[in-house]
């Protein structure tokens, strides 16, 4: 009887079924009331007492292995059938709808492409930063308002660790690691402790550029800004620079472009001035260069930074910043044609 059980075990190991009907026939052959295994169970009563333990062990193994094999084949068929249901062969051959790039991703890519044509390479850094790279290295005074809790997210129990408030921290890390010439652009998400509204959010996106080399002048900065404005907003775009203040640049300026809606004639969008502010810029302060290990007597450079949301608003006339982070499919579908 043991030899018969071993023969059936070898058969069971090699069982195959290519349809549900074949699987049912196998189940009937081996497990039904008149099948092979129940017949062996009936014959078990005739086994001598001294052999019952050994024969019973083999018989239980046969029953368990047969049931497992039948279940395995059944599961294989169910998986195949569920996979086939993903393809409805009765549907007409309309294409599946494609997704769209997020508008912020579209504009970020366009900005990086423009500066890439000027020789800038992309640099990235951590969003959780230390005080040195976010503030101190960039010439922020100890009592500067940007260090206050109302503007900066601090990590609990770590007053020297913050969520970066600008991507300038990437610039300081690059300047510490490399000597000029440097020509980098730093896109990324930044965080500030502000009330969320249609015109402000606690997180947003920036792109900052840095160029350091010998004899870099404000004229180089102005030429780069004019090139960027005309590539982004059109060949007839004009720019103007207004004096401003930033701790890490001197002299500093804010750049306006001629209104993209009225062409500089004046409209409600530009508050009838004909100009719209888009970014801040300036020559890198010598203290910043020295803090990062670059000799300010030999090298000079310029830096500029802009909010990606701001540029996206100008390009697509999105009036509520919150729409960029709400993942409303109806809003995102409007940008299906964007590259």
């Amino acid at each position: 009887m043991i030899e018969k059980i071993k023969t059936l075990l070898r058969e069971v190991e090699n069982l195959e079924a290519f349809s549900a009907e074949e699987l049912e026939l196998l189940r009937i052959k081996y497990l039904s009331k008149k099948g092979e295994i129940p017949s062996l169970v009936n014959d078990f009563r005739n086994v001598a007492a001294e052999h019952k333990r050994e024969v019973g062990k083999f018989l239980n193994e046969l029953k368990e292995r047969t049931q497992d094999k039948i279940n395995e084949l059944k599961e294989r068929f169910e998986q195949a059938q569920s996979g086939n249901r993903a393809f409805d062969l009765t549907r007409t051959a309309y294409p599946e709808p494609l997704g769209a790039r997020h508008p912020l991703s579209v504009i970020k890519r366009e900005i990086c492409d423009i500066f890439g044509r000027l020789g800038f390479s992309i640099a990235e850094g951590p969003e959780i930063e230390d005080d040195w790279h976010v503030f101190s290295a960039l010439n922020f005074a100890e009592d500067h308002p940007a260090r206050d809790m109302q503007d900066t997210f601090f990590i609990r129990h770590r007053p020297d660790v913050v969520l970066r408030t600008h991507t300038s921290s990437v610039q300081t890390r690059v300047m510490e690691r490399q000597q000029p010439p440097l020509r980098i652009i730093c896109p990324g998400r930044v965080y500030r402790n502000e009330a969320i509204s249609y015109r402000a959010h606690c997180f947003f996106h920036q792109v900052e550029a840095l160029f350091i080399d010998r004899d870099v002048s404000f004229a180089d900065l102005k030429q780069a800004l004019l090139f960027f404005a005309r590539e982004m907003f059109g060949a007839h775009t004009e720019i103007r620079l207004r004096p401003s203040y930033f701790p890490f640049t001197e002299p500093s300026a804010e750049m306006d472009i001629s209104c993209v809606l009225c062409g500089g004639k004046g409209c409600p969008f530009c508050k009838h001035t004909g100009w719209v502010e888009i970014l801040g810029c300036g020559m890198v302060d010598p203290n910043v260069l020295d803090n990062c290990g670059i000799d300010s007597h030999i090298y000079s450079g310029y830096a500029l930074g802009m909010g990606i949301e701001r540029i996206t608003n100008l390009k697509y006339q999105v009036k509520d910043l919150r729409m960029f982070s709400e993942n409303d499919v109806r809003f995102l579908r409007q940008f299906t044609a964007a590259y």
Side-chain angles (χ1 to χ4, degrees):
M1 189 173 184
I2 291 179
E3 287 302 320
K4 186 174 182 180
I5 293 174
K6 289 182 177 181
T7 301
L8 287 177
L9 270 173
R10 287 192 292 269
E11 287 183 16
V12 168
E13 290 295 337
N14 297 316
L15 288 181
E16 288 291 345
F18 299 98
S19 66
E21 291 76 12
E22 290 183 10
L23 180 62
E24 179 62 14
L25 290 175
L26 291 177
R27 187 194 68 80
I28 292 173
K29 177 181 179 181
Y30 291 99
L31 297 176
S32 66
K33 290 184 178 180
K34 295 183 179 181
E36 298 277 359
I37 296 175
S39 297
L40 288 176
V41 172
N42 290 333
D43 293 341
F44 181 69
R45 68 185 66 160
N46 300 322
V47 175
E50 63 270 19
H51 299 301
K52 280 187 178 291
R53 183 172 181 179
E54 183 181 6
V55 173
K57 178 181 177 182
F58 280 101
L59 187 58
N60 287 333
E61 182 182 354
L62 175 62
K63 290 169 59 178
E64 292 176 2
R65 184 62 194 127
T66 304
Q67 188 63 60
D68 289 344
K69 188 67 176 182
I70 297 295
N71 291 339
E72 178 185 328
L73 294 173
K74 182 179 179 182
E75 184 178 352
R76 188 185 305 172
F77 279 119
E78 290 176 348
Q79 289 178 349
Q81 290 173 357
S82 64
N84 291 335
R85 283 198 293 270
F87 300 96
D88 186 354
L89 300 181
T90 64
R91 290 186 58 185
T92 54
Y94 293 119
E96 291 291 329
L98 298 177
R101 289 186 181 274
H102 194 283
L104 295 180
S105 297
V106 172
I107 296 302
K108 182 182 78 170
R109 178 176 175 180
E110 189 172 352
I111 294 171
C112 291
D113 285 347
I114 293 172
F115 280 96
R117 297 200 294 273
L118 291 174
F120 286 78
S121 59
I122 295 176
E124 297 180 330
E127 296 182 7
I128 300 177
E129 267 288 9
D130 54 57
D131 179 277
W132 169 257
H133 291 98
V134 176
F135 297 127
S136 298
L138 292 167
N139 207 35
F140 281 82
E142 290 293 333
D143 57 352
H144 195 281
R147 295 172 179 265
D148 195 280
M149 285 292 291
Q150 62 183 328
D151 292 324
T152 305
F153 286 108
F154 288 83
I155 304 300
R156 181 177 294 180
H157 308 309
R158 292 292 303 276
D160 60 329
V161 179
V162 302
L163 297 182
R164 68 183 182 190
T165 59
H166 47 199
T167 52
S168 301
S169 58
V170 181
Q171 298 177 3
T172 58
R173 287 185 174 274
V174 172
M175 285 189 285
E176 287 178 340
R177 295 195 307 264
Q178 302 178 28
Q179 284 296 303
L182 297 174
R183 199 189 297 255
I184 60 171
I185 184 169
C186 312
R189 180 180 293 180
V190 298
Y191 305 84
R192 294 183 187 175
N193 192 7
E194 297 181 1
I196 298 175
S197 68
Y198 74 96
R199 57 184 299 177
H201 211 291
C202 62
F203 69 86
F204 52 99
H205 301 79
Q206 282 187 338
V207 173
E208 299 193 27
L210 175 71
F211 175 39
I212 301 176
D213 204 344
R214 297 174 185 266
D215 303 321
V216 177
S217 68
F218 203 95
D220 298 315
L221 169 60
K222 184 177 179 181
Q223 191 61 36
L225 293 173
L226 182 61
F227 177 81
F228 166 74
R230 291 184 172 174
E231 290 293 305
M232 175 62 72
F233 298 105
H236 300 291
T237 305
E238 298 295 331
I239 68 171
R240 74 174 183 183
L241 298 172
R242 294 179 287 105
S244 186
Y245 167 76
F246 303 108
F248 35 84
T249 53
E250 180 59 38
S252 303
E254 291 181 346
M255 188 185 91
D256 303 331
I257 62 168
S258 51
C259 181
V260 294
L261 294 186
C262 65
K265 298 177 181 178
C267 67
F269 182 75
C270 64
K271 300 179 181 178
H272 301 283
T273 64
W275 298 94
V276 180
E277 177 195 341
I278 66 166
L279 60 81
C281 59
M283 301 301 294
V284 179
D285 192 296
N287 289 334
V288 174
L289 296 177
D290 292 334
N291 288 339
C292 295
I294 295 176
D295 192 338
S296 60
H297 294 94
I298 300 176
Y299 298 104
S300 58
Y302 65 72
L304 60 96
M306 69 193 84
I308 298 179
E309 282 84 349
R310 178 67 168 164
I311 306 299
T312 307
N313 282 342
L314 291 173
K315 291 281 283 188
Y316 298 126
Q317 306 300 306
V318 179
K319 299 184 190 285
D320 192 335
L321 282 177
R322 292 170 293 192
M323 298 181 73
F324 290 129
S325 56
E326 288 178 347
N327 293 326
D328 189 326
V329 175
R330 296 168 300 175
F331 171 70
L332 297 176
R333 281 176 181 161
Q334 299 177 65
F335 303 93
T336 303
Y339 77 103

